[in-house]
């Protein structure tokens, strides 16, 4: 419910907090983390270990920004009587999955360890789940906030751009793989 002061002033209560929560989480869960995954998926064939450090850096920055955004969301929940259960529960789930993923970095087995294959399956599964839930929750938040302007279409355009980039890089990866197999077959 809006207060008389907020209506006269033209800004809803806690608007800055809501905006900061939305922007931080969109950048973290919806841009940095997906870009970190794209880098891990496609640059690992081009660079020796640089891709890994860029991936980890983006994921860590994304998680820290997401955790701050999550804390702002918890503060918003405490300040308002609004209840957005789906958005709230997805946000909590994202925070927990992200935390588990960060701890998993400390438990990563060496490349030649027999458990590394299982760790990779776990890491990729949780990572892609976080990306998917993050994107869904960003659109849930945009639905709740109804920010006007082009926020929703702007974010959708950035997603489309990331998907197109991924498809191009995937095609290049497959072409390289096929060429390499043909080359190996000739030797």
């Amino acid at each position: 419910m809006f207060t008389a002061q907020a209506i006269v002033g033209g800004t809803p209560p806690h608007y800055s907090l809501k905006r900061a929560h939305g922007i931080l989480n969109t950048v973290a869960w919806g841009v940095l983390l997906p870009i970190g995954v794209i880098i891990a998926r496609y640059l690992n064939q081009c660079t020796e270990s640089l891709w890994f450090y860029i991936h980890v850096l983006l994921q860590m920055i994304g998680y820290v920004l997401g955790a701050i955004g999550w804390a702002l969301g918890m503060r918003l929940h405490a300040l308002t009587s609004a209840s957005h259960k789906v958005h709230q529960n997805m946000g909590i789930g994202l925070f927990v999955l992200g935390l588990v993923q960060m701890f998993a970095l400390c438990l990563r087995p060496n490349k030649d360890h027999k458990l590394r294959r299982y760790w990779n399956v776990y890491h990729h599964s949780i990572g892609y789940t976080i990306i998917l839930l993050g994107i869904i929750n960003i659109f849930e938040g945009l639905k709740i906030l109804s920010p006007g302007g082009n926020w929703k279409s702007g974010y959708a355009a950035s997603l489309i751009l990331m998907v197109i980039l991924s498809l191009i890089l995937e095609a290049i990866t497959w072409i390289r793989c096929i060429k390499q197999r043909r080359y190996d077959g000739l030797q």
Side-chain angles (χ1 to χ4, degrees):
M1 196 72 180
F2 297 107
T3 63
Q5 182 181 11
I7 293 172
V8 171
T11 345
H14 313 297
Y15 179 76
S16 296
L17 192 59
K18 290 176 186 175
R19 188 176 178 131
H21 166 74
I23 290 171
L24 277 173
N25 283 317
T26 300
V27 168
W29 304 108
V31 176
L32 290 176
L33 294 181
I35 289 173
V37 169
I38 290 169
I39 285 172
R41 170 80 177 122
Y42 300 109
L43 289 187
N44 67 359
Q45 299 158 9
C46 302
T47 62
E48 192 65 31
S49 61
L50 179 63
W51 71 268
F52 176 77
Y53 296 110
I54 295 171
H55 169 70
V56 169
L57 180 66
L58 285 174
Q59 301 309 83
M60 291 178 102
I61 292 170
Y63 182 73
V64 168
L65 291 178
I68 294 167
W70 176 78
L72 292 177
M74 297 304 283
R75 180 71 180 141
L76 271 170
H77 180 69
L79 290 173
T80 65
S81 60
S83 178
H84 305 287
K85 287 293 182 194
V86 172
H87 183 67
Q88 181 182 356
N89 290 338
M90 265 198 266
I92 292 168
L94 278 166
F95 177 76
V96 170
L97 286 172
L99 187 62
V100 167
Q101 195 74 316
M102 296 301 275
F103 282 133
L105 181 64
C106 303
L107 302 173
R108 186 172 64 110
N110 292 329
K111 284 184 179 181
D112 56 347
H113 194 280
K114 65 180 180 178
L115 295 177
R116 179 60 179 259
R117 180 174 33 159
Y118 302 109
W119 185 90
N120 283 341
V121 169
Y122 149 80
H123 182 67
H124 295 149
S125 300
I126 298 293
Y128 285 122
T129 301
I130 288 170
I131 299 299
L132 183 61
L133 284 177
I135 291 168
I136 292 168
N137 210 27
I138 288 165
F139 281 110
E140 280 292 316
L142 287 169
K143 189 167 51 174
I144 292 164
L145 192 56
S146 302
N150 294 322
W151 285 91
K152 190 183 280 187
S153 57
Y155 180 61
S158 73
L159 282 178
I160 291 168
L161 198 67
M162 285 188 272
V163 167
I164 290 170
L165 176 64
S166 295
L167 290 173
I168 291 168
L169 291 171
E170 189 68 29
I172 291 169
T173 301
W174 277 96
I175 290 168
R176 282 176 141 181
C177 182
I178 291 168
K179 282 183 179 179
Q180 185 63 40
R181 285 188 182 162
R182 284 185 187 159
Y183 176 77
D184 291 344
L186 294 174
Q187 291 182 347

